Amino acid sequence: MGKTADLTVVQKMTIDSLHKEGKTQKVIAKETGCSQSSVSKHINREAKGRKRCGRKNCISNRDNRTLERIVKQNPFKNVGELHKEWTAAGVSASRTTTHRRMQDMGFSCRIPCVKPLLNNRQRQKRLAWKDWTAAEWSKEWFSDESKFCISFGNQGPRVWRKRGEAQNPRCLRSSVKFPQSVMVWGAMSSAGVGPLCFLRSKVNAAVYQDVLEHFMIPPADQLYGDADFIFQQDLAPAHSAKATSTWFKDHGIPVLNWPANSPDLNPIENLWGIVKRKMRYARPNNAEELKATIRATWALITPEQCHRLIDSMPHKY
């Protein structure tokens, strides 16, 4: 009875129960009829945990550090490429093990955040930009155009990153301003979204003013009433044209001084992303079906979602 292996299942369970009650090993040995050394060995073994079973781990901590270094050097590689480079470094592992090790280290495969390509002057303007509270941002009426395609399957390269690394420079994908080839215009505030306008032609100042007249002013009046609001738009040619500036002055609508090439600051970009993710598995056959899908998905955006996005504005710059 001196060895732990000689203890019966009932004795082990009784020892565990008495140990949880706070009784000493001497008392436990007396009540179970076991030797004190057997009780001590059993309790100590349970505290350390059972001996691991199964195949021996052939991947060392050094191998794990090698894989992490490979991922951080180029986080846009896929699992196959990372596995090939890891095994080339002398590690014997399967593709599945490579993937599992990356997940164990906290990496997950995500769509990379887009980093606008800014010059020094634009960076300085962003740094000196609005330092408003969420309450002040709630008076904004944000707008933007977005291009929707019939197929949403290809969302570009993905990036391996850990939690909290979304804005890490090595995990960002650089972008430049897209040419003006848009299909839909929309607007949002902290109270909800406005109606969508599908654009049939190239947007010039006259077309844009017509959009504002019929798709911006009515919902703004409904949402804000007699209260003041500030309209947000980017610096696209049709938006910054003199005729458009005159239109805003004639209608008494103040316009936010928006920094150039800064779509990442606009919360409506998040809404476009939400809509496109919801439409990821949609398969419209033509432009009319695509428009209907966009309308239906846009209608699912709740005021609570808009409010949360506006509340996040003070943390964006």
Side-chain angles (χ1 to χ4, degrees):
M1 196 69 73
K3 296 182 180 180
T4 305
D6 295 333
L7 296 175
T8 64
V9 175
V10 175
Q11 287 175 326
K12 291 178 180 180
M13 293 176 63
T14 304
I15 291 172
D16 292 338
S17 177
L18 294 174
H19 181 64
K20 289 180 180 179
E21 293 176 5
K23 294 186 177 182
T24 64
Q25 295 180 8
K26 185 176 181 180
V27 173
I28 295 174
K30 185 177 181 180
E31 292 189 12
T32 58
C34 304
S35 67
Q36 189 171 340
S37 62
S38 296
V39 173
S40 177
K41 288 179 181 179
H42 174 73
I43 292 175
N44 291 335
R45 178 171 293 182
E46 289 297 316
K48 292 180 180 178
R50 293 184 178 180
K51 186 178 180 180
R52 293 186 62 181
C53 301
R55 184 178 177 182
K56 184 179 178 181
N57 186 4
C58 299
I59 307 299
S60 66
N61 291 333
R62 183 177 181 179
D63 295 332
N64 288 334
R65 291 194 297 270
T66 300
L67 178 59
E68 185 168 8
R69 184 173 63 253
I70 292 171
V71 176
K72 289 184 175 181
Q73 286 174 348
N74 192 341
F76 292 92
K77 288 184 177 180
N78 58 40
V79 176
E81 293 170 330
L82 295 169
H83 169 68
K84 185 177 180 179
E85 192 169 341
W86 196 32
T87 53
V91 180
S92 177
S94 66
R95 180 188 172 112
T96 302
T97 299
T98 303
H99 192 189
R100 186 171 61 249
R101 286 287 167 169
M102 293 169 64
Q103 292 178 323
D104 291 342
M105 288 187 288
F107 288 104
S108 59
C109 193
R110 303 293 184 90
I111 298 174
C113 297
V114 176
K115 178 187 68 176
L117 194 61
L118 303 171
N119 57 37
N120 290 332
R121 184 180 178 184
Q122 291 170 341
R123 290 192 186 98
Q124 292 302 320
K125 284 189 175 181
R126 282 174 65 122
L127 290 174
W129 199 49
K130 301 292 185 184
D131 186 14
W132 285 358
T133 64
E136 290 172 312
W137 282 114
S138 66
K139 299 177 182 179
E140 290 289 331
W141 186 230
F142 293 92
S143 70
D144 188 32
E145 298 93 356
S146 185
K147 183 178 181 179
F148 284 77
C149 300
I150 287 184
S151 175
F152 294 93
N154 183 14
Q155 298 189 16
R158 300 227 171 189
V159 62
W160 290 97
R161 70 186 188 214
K162 295 183 179 181
R163 183 182 294 275
E165 291 186 337
Q167 298 301 324
N168 190 308
R170 67 177 180 80
C171 298
L172 295 174
R173 178 170 58 87
S174 296
S175 70
V176 297
K177 190 175 178 67
F178 290 101
Q180 192 161 355
S181 178
V182 299
M183 293 179 63
V184 59
W185 178 94
M188 66 162 288
S189 72
S190 61
V193 298
L196 294 176
C197 175
F198 292 93
L199 307 168
R200 298 181 180 180
S201 61
K202 185 176 179 179
V203 179
N204 55 29
V207 172
Y208 184 57
Q209 292 165 33
D210 188 64
V211 171
L212 296 174
E213 191 75 45
H214 296 91
F215 293 89
M216 187 272 283
I217 291 181
D221 289 341
Q222 184 177 358
L223 287 172
Y224 293 99
D226 295 332
D228 294 332
F229 71 91
I230 303 174
F231 184 71
Q232 180 278 333
Q233 60 181 4
D234 59 26
L235 301 180
H239 303 175
S240 56
K242 289 184 179 180
T244 303
S245 299
T246 302
W247 184 93
F248 279 112
K249 290 179 181 178
D250 293 342
H251 287 76
I253 300 174
V255 179
L256 179 64
N257 184 19
W258 192 253
N261 201 12
S262 301
D264 57 311
L265 297 180
N266 194 343
I268 200 173
E269 290 288 343
N270 299 88
L271 288 190
W272 293 133
I274 292 172
V275 172
K276 290 178 180 179
R277 284 194 296 273
K278 288 180 178 293
M279 294 175 59
R280 184 179 302 172
Y281 303 107
R283 292 294 179 267
N285 296 312
N286 51 55
E288 291 305 314
E289 290 184 8
L290 176 61
K291 289 179 181 179
T293 305
I294 296 171
R295 286 193 188 96
T297 310
W298 183 256
L300 297 176
I301 300 296
T302 65
E304 289 75 19
Q305 286 176 298
C306 297
H307 186 73
R308 285 195 297 268
L309 290 174
I310 299 299
D311 279 348
S312 72
M313 284 298 294
H315 309 289
K316 284 196 172 186
Y317 46 88

